[in-house]
Each structure stands twice: as C-alpha cells, then as structure tokens.
Amino acid sequence: MSWRIGVDSGGTFTDICLFEEETGRMEIWKSASTPDDPSRGILDVVSEGLQNVGGDLSQVSFFGHGTTVATNALIELKGAKTALLTTDGFRDLLEIGRQKRPSLYDMFAEKPQILVPRDLRLNVKERLRADGTVEVSLDEEQLREIVNGLADKDIEAVAIGFLYSFMNPQHERIVEDHVKEQLADVFVCTSHAVAPEFREYERFSTTVVNAFLGPVMQRYIRRLKDRLIGNGLRIAPHLTQSNGGVIGFETAAQFPVRTLLSGPSTGVIAAQEIAAYAGFDDIITFDVGGTSSDVALLKGRQCKKTGEAEVHGYPIKAPMLDIHTVGAGGGSIAYVDTGGLLKVGPESAGANPGPVCYDLGGTAPTLTDANIVLQILNPERILGGRMKVAFDKAKDAIGGLAGQLGMSTEETAQGIIHVATANMAKAIRVISVQRGHDPRDYALMAFGGGGPLHAARLARELDMTRVIVPPTPGALCAVGLLMTDLKADFAQSLLSDLSTLTPDTVSTALSDLEVSAGEWFDHEGIAAENRVLQRTADLRYLGQNYELQVSFPDGEVSDQSFATLRERFEEAHQQRYGFAPPDEKVELVTLRLEAVGLVKKAAVQRAVSIEDGEEPVPAATRPVWLSETQGTVDCPIYQRKDLRPGHKFRGPAIVEQMDTTTLVLPEMNAYVDDYSNLILEDAR
C-alpha cells in the first residue's frame, strides 16, 4: 500500500491527514506542537499517524507540509542579521515607506521594527532609468569595498534591491555574484527574483523579509528533511505556499516569503473542493486555530488572489490567497483592560502553557477555558478522550475575571465568547461587506479546531442561514495539502495604457514568463501532460494607486484580448467600488502567469446513507449553559462517527469528534449530507 500524507503544523496542535491511494481511505491524527523545534512535533505526529494505520515512511508516495515557521519568525522578530544593498540615495526607503498614515493621531500606535538597521543599509553607486536603460554604471570597485566591509559584521543574509531592476536585472545579478563569491556562507536574494514588480518600497520590503527569514527556513527545512529521510522517507517532500499550491523544499528555502500564509491556504483549497461536492457555489471559510481565525470569501467556489498584502505590518508583494486574519483563537487570552472592559486576544496562550484547562501551567483565562466552563466543550476529556481537562482550574481562572467585572462565572465565560464572536464577525465583514458582498448570500464553512464550536453563533451574528462542517474540520488544512497541485507564480510589470499597447508587446512579455515557467516545470520534474498555465493581469484606471486582478483571455493576444480585459476590469471595479467610468483610460500594470503542475490528489468520498426513518441516537447528555436559553439546558451529545448521511436532528445539541466540537443552537436544524458534511440551517 502507499500513503499520501499532509501535515499542518500550527501553534497549538500539529495535524496529519493520511490518504491510502489504493482504497481512498482517509485518516487523521493530532498531537501537540513543539514550538521549540517544530520538526520534532512533525516527526511525532507522522510516526503516531502511520502507526495507527499500520504504515511507515517508506510507504509514503507524497509528503506535503504546511508550516508557521516563517510567520512566527517574522512576528517574533527572530530572523537573521540582514544587510541591504540598494541604489545610492535610497538606503532610508524602508523607514520612509509610503505617505499613508492611518494611525496619524493614535498616540499609542507602534510602527513595525525595521528589519535592517541603518548601518547595514548600504548605498551602491548605480542607477537605471524607468525603462531599464543604464543611467549610472555599477561601480564594481566600490561594491567590492562594501562587501568586504560586511565580512566582519557577522551578517547572515544580504538583500539586494535596486531601482527598476524588474525592468533590467543586470546590476542586481552582478552584485549577487560578488556577494556569493566574497561571503560564501551568507544567504543572498535579489528583488528581481523575489518580487519582479514595480513599487520599490514594497519590492524592497518583500526582499528584505525574504532575506530575514532565509537562514531560519533553511535550517528548519534541512533539519526536517534529515529527520524524515533518516526515518525512511524515500520521496522529495513539499511545502505549502501562500497561493494554495505546494513547492519543493529547496524552492521554499530560497523564497521563504512565499510561505507566510502556508498554513491557512490549504484549508481554503480543501473547502473549495468540499463545497463543489456539497453543491455550494458561494461560501465564506472560517478557520479557527489556537491563535487566530482566518477567513476567506469564495465566489463561484473560487478564492481571489492578491499580489500584495501587509503581513504583521510589513508590505509583501507575493501571490497569495486573499485570506484575512484576526487574533481570535482557542488560546486567545481574556482580560479586563484599564477602562474596565472585557477584551479577548490577540495574545495567545499557545501550545505551552496553553489554556488553563490543559493543566500545563497556564494561568490566564482563554476562549477555550470559557467553553469548558459552560460545558460546551467536554469538561472531562477532549481530543477524543486523549487529553484530560482541568475543569476546576479553568472555572477558577474565569471566576477571577468575573470578580473584576462583577458578573457570574457563567456570564463572564459567555461574555468572552460574545467578544470573540464580534472579533470574528469583524474579520468576515472586511472580506465581504467592505468589498461589495452580502454575507447572507453565502454559506459559512467552519473548520479548524474551534471553527465548528463558534460557527453557529457567528452565522447568527451575520444573518447567515447555513453552516457547513466538513467531516474532519480540525485537520482540514492537512487534508487540503492532499487536494492541491504544485504551483508557482511569475510576473512582469508593463505600466502601459491599454489603448496604446500592441499585441506584440504583450505576447513577448507572456512568452518570457512562459520560458520561466517552463524552467520551473523542468526543475520540479512535471511531465508535459501535467503542465497548466493560467494568465491574469493587474489593471487600474490611469492615476489610481491600486490595481484589480482579472483573468487574461486565452489564445493568441489580439486587440480583442484588450477589449475583453477592459470589460472584465470594469465588472470587477463595479463590484468592488460601486462604479466604473466607461471613458477613463485603463492601465495594464502587471502581467501574471501561474504555472500549475497537476498531481494525483485525494478525493471527497460519498458515504453510505441510513435506512429511511432511522434516527440518530445521542451518546449522552450533559448540562450546558447557553445564553440563548438564559441558563443551563440538558443537551444531547452526538458522536460524529455515529452520524451518517440522512440523519437529522434539532438544536440545542452538541456533536463531538476527536478533532473538534460542533455547537448546534436552539432553533437550528442539522442534517448529514451524502458526503458526511454536517449542515446546520437556522429555522428561526
């Protein structure tokens, strides 16, 4: 037998999904993460998961991995000591940034720390014009002096970013060669390779972040790969990118900035596949982990991509799924602020010490503790009985907050849930209402360890009437690793008026991108019949600051291609902003090409239905405190493994499974569809 494995390493738990190719059998497993060395936790969960199914690493035909190593290193500023070599006169660009000051009058606003101190930001004599022609030739003698000077400063990484290098990378390549020759053990990256697009501040920022994370990711990937191969893995492992695809470990080590949304992106991919089988075209994904909640909007089962985002305060130009994150997860700490108001997050208790109920030394009350105290979560054991819960300690921790607020313990616990729900709803409004979408037109797909626990209340907060809980929600990001393809993105900025562009100019640019994609296909060993190319373009009205991305017409480039592009752009502009002036000039800013290497993927399985009239039988009941009933109610407790297609029941009820717990509110109907999804419908 052969197994395809997906592993998602989160802040609290590490999840594994195992898919047996011969039978379609799918199994999941969870174990505690090891923040001090994530590779150890990954090997632990892989070993335990394979042991449960009677397999070993030598039988693994695909290994995919989603990680938060790069994200955590950036958040905690635990990257490498980095230098920046840039065009003479532009060393301070990272600090100057853009003249956008949304927190201008916020006395307590904190700017993100500059990743390269000023004495390590060095001017190089060179200059290119906007069209890529040379204004000032590169001074190689000065360059050698600069690089020699870095040799004594314990530099681990060097970022190289020059003006207009995306039009002509010649100078950056020469500097790269010098640095590699003189500083052999230093991580080096160039802006034309990391982010070959216009906007120098964002391009330099992305390149610096990539350099800052490079040595960290290289060490992590090397350690993990050695452990996997040392324990019997015989194939090349892969890592998830922010765009929802996977790449080889070597490419990920070279471009770690592409993995900043490594974890949540595959959950969106899995949700997309499940929605297709379940018959839902428009969904909003709701992924709650231990530290944060990640949300995304899928119109027609497609999640939009963005070429630019701000990650923890740092502008990043890299293709990524349009996922919005808020600091509200199971480990989010609840506290009373100086004004006497109850707050939840963004600080998290993480995996160690974790919530108070884990009994690992945590003392700060969390969202998980609130659900334990109300007995929405099992007050004795969770994780399918594997983890014992310290109920009394959780109750004492929540009680301490209750004393500060002058409320009962139960009211305080429910207040924590209400605040967290409001934070989650705010995140969904950002990706829906603020972008011209009505959340009431969408179904909410809940996953992650805490998504199904809070989905019913979140749906009611947003007037959404349907919730989808997939069969293995707590490990859906790991499942998604087995439902995605290899992907890489390539871009070329043109900055040209659409009305004056010639088909030959665009055809040449696309051909250059296709050559780069072909080299990547060859490097990844993708067979010709499994290669797919998808073209898009970033457009804007002339004079606008930001672009909208639309699909580029298939086939040979012609004047009709440009007319179609304009139509698609105007539709997108109307959707986003509510207007689309027909007489304004449109500018084609950047051409993009996504290369997709098709691989064998896990498939959603149809389950066996019940006999007509068969009713689901609760495994137990327990008293649960619900604000909807203004007190305690005896709730039937169903085991997810006992629910089969055709089963129906009505809330209030709780559904337990190893990887999560689902709350069904009063006046909600629940049923199981043909693919074992649990569907909640509001009957109010």
Side-chain angles (χ1 to χ4, degrees), residues 119-443:
D119 64 311
L120 294 179
R121 303 197 301 264
L122 306 172
N123 290 317
V124 178
K125 291 180 181 177
E126 71 83 44
R127 188 66 180 260
L128 298 177
R129 297 189 183 96
D131 61 358
T133 56
V134 177
E135 171 85 11
V136 177
S137 296
L138 178 68
D139 188 334
E140 294 194 47
E141 184 176 343
Q142 183 227 16
L143 173 63
R144 277 189 289 270
E145 293 177 3
I146 289 173
V147 178
N148 282 332
L150 290 175
D152 299 325
K153 296 187 177 181
D154 299 321
I155 296 299
E156 296 179 83
V158 174
I160 303 166
F162 294 155
L163 291 186
Y164 304 114
S165 61
F166 61 90
M167 298 297 292
N168 178 0
Q170 176 186 359
H171 287 177
E172 285 195 354
R173 286 174 176 162
I174 294 172
V175 174
E176 181 182 18
D177 290 340
H178 275 279
V179 174
K180 287 182 175 178
E181 180 182 341
Q182 295 175 249
L183 305 173
D185 297 327
V186 168
F187 180 91
V188 185
C189 62
T190 60
S191 73
H192 78 267
V194 175
E197 302 178 42
F198 91 118
R199 288 202 176 102
E200 65 279 359
Y201 169 54
E202 288 80 2
R203 179 161 48 89
F204 290 1
S205 172
T206 306
T207 308
V208 165
V209 169
N210 193 74
F212 182 74
L213 299 175
V216 175
M217 282 295 285
Q218 282 187 337
R219 288 191 292 267
Y220 168 69
I221 285 173
R222 189 181 304 119
R223 190 163 56 240
L224 176 58
K225 187 175 182 179
D226 289 346
R227 278 185 161 160
L228 292 171
I229 292 175
N231 282 271
L233 186 68
R234 297 176 179 175
I235 48 91
H238 291 82
L239 198 72
T240 322
Q241 299 181 93
S242 303
N243 65 3
V246 293
I247 49 175
F249 269 27
E250 291 75 16
T251 306
Q254 185 181 0
F255 299 108
V257 74
R258 298 180 185 176
T259 70
L260 283 171
L261 293 181
S262 173
S265 64
T266 49
V268 174
I269 297 298
Q272 180 176 296
E273 290 295 312
I274 290 169
Y277 282 92
F280 292 91
D281 289 332
D282 302 328
I283 64 170
I284 292 175
T285 64
F286 175 53
D287 176 8
V288 182
T291 304
S292 63
S293 297
D294 303 303
V295 299
L297 184 141
L298 280 67
K299 180 75 172 177
R301 298 195 296 271
Q302 294 296 317
C303 181
K304 282 192 174 294
K305 275 189 180 179
T306 179
E308 184 177 322
E310 192 172 278
V311 181
H312 303 288
Y314 299 98
I316 301 295
K317 284 190 81 69
M320 57 186 71
L321 296 180
D322 193 3
I323 298 171
H324 184 68
T325 302
V326 64
S332 293
I333 293 173
Y335 63 97
V336 177
D337 70 6
T338 54
L341 299 176
L342 178 64
K343 298 291 181 68
V344 181
E347 186 180 355
S348 173
N352 192 358
V356 177
C357 63
Y358 287 6
D359 205 14
L360 297 175
T363 57
T366 67
L367 182 58
T368 295
D369 294 313
N371 280 293
I372 288 289
V373 166
L374 299 180
Q375 301 196 128
I376 299 171
L377 282 174
N378 192 309
E380 297 177 359
R381 289 183 177 273
I382 56 175
L383 273 187
R386 288 162 51 205
M387 178 181 284
K388 189 175 180 181
V389 169
F391 176 82
D392 290 338
K393 290 184 178 180
K395 190 169 184 178
D396 289 343
I398 300 292
L401 272 185
Q404 296 179 58
L405 295 167
M407 300 165 62
S408 72
T409 300
E410 290 77 14
E411 288 171 336
T412 302
Q414 185 59 56
I416 293 171
I417 293 172
H418 279 324
V419 172
T421 301
N423 291 338
M424 296 165 181
K426 188 185 300 182
I428 287 182
R429 290 189 179 101
V430 168
I431 62 164
S432 58
V433 177
Q434 292 185 21
R435 299 180 185 177
H437 300 275
D438 189 337
R440 293 174 296 184
D441 297 333
Y442 291 75

Side-chain angles (χ1 to χ4, degrees), residues 7-22:
V7 179
D8 179 51
S9 177
T12 306
F13 290 104
T14 298
D15 308 327
I16 185 172
C17 176
L18 305 103
F19 178 76
E20 189 177 21
E21 292 186 346
E22 291 81 0

